[in-house]
Amino acid sequence: MTAKRPSRIGNDHLYGTRHLAAKWSNDGTLGKIKAFLLADMCADKDLNIDFDEESTPWLQDMLKVAAKNTDHSAYIYKNRVPGLGDDHIPFKERGVPVLDIIDLDYGPHTESMPDGYHHTAQDTLDKISAKSLQISGDLFLEMIRLINQRP
């Protein structure tokens, strides 16, 4: 299944990460980055981290391992996200391995809210859960451990 991609207002929403990727490229920081993991919308009560087709394949595979190691396999990759163009892209374009850890299916998608709760007044704390935050935290910590074990 393919997740519904949120609409974007305008076509440029990456000012901050483009600036940071350029800055880190110029000062040498970029060359020291083993992987760029993006945490985005991963606290939804109904957590399902999407398979982002623009992420680096070995990191996509590693997330499966991390999910298995933490007993969280049920929370990843039910949906695919094609061409999201999220904040990891400026780093990917500069050769950094990237992984977008995102749950786009955030709330009901209706005519008045085609993107669910994403960027609406209904995007409030009651829509997230401590359990989802714990799962996401577990996955990030395991990913960091696995990345650091790579030669």
Side-chain angles (χ1 to χ4, degrees):
M1 180 173 164
T2 301
K4 180 165 177 8
R5 175 181 152 163
S7 58
R8 302 281 187 193
I9 297 173
N11 60 4
D12 191 359
H13 54 276
L14 302 177
Y15 290 110
T17 52
R18 241 191 1 260
H19 171 78
L20 185 60
K23 177 182 177 194
W24 284 355
S25 178
N26 291 335
D27 72 12
T29 300
L30 210 63
K32 299 174 188 175
I33 298 174
K34 293 180 180 182
F36 182 90
L37 306 180
L38 175 61
D40 196 355
M41 299 172 55
C42 54
D44 183 5
K45 282 184 180 179
D46 182 26
L47 183 65
N48 180 44
I49 295 165
D50 299 314
F51 182 91
D52 170 56
E53 294 178 357
E54 293 181 309
S55 290
T56 303
W58 68 264
L59 286 169
Q60 293 166 332
D61 293 341
M62 189 177 281
L63 183 59
K64 287 186 217 173
V65 173
K68 183 178 182 226
N69 291 354
T70 58
D71 293 323
H72 297 320
S73 295
Y75 299 99
I76 68 164
Y77 295 169
K78 291 179 195 165
N79 301 314
R80 296 180 78 84
V81 180
L84 182 59
D86 211 351
D87 289 303
H88 59 312
I89 298 303
F91 290 89
K92 178 182 179 178
E93 290 172 345
R94 292 178 180 268
V96 176
V98 297
L99 181 66
D100 191 1
I101 297 180
I102 187 167
D103 179 355
L104 281 178
D105 192 18
Y106 181 48
H109 301 275
T110 64
E111 190 174 318
S112 63
M113 291 191 324
D115 298 334
Y117 300 133
H118 186 254
H119 290 189
T120 69
Q122 288 75 33
D123 186 1
T124 54
L125 287 175
D126 61 308
K127 308 303 186 309
I128 65 173
S129 81
K131 179 180 177 184
S132 292
L133 286 170
Q134 182 66 59
I135 291 166
S136 296
D138 292 347
L139 291 170
F140 270 90
L141 289 174
E142 183 63 6
M143 286 294 294
I144 292 166
R145 188 185 73 75
L146 292 170
I147 291 165
N148 282 333
Q149 286 182 344
R150 281 188 97 222

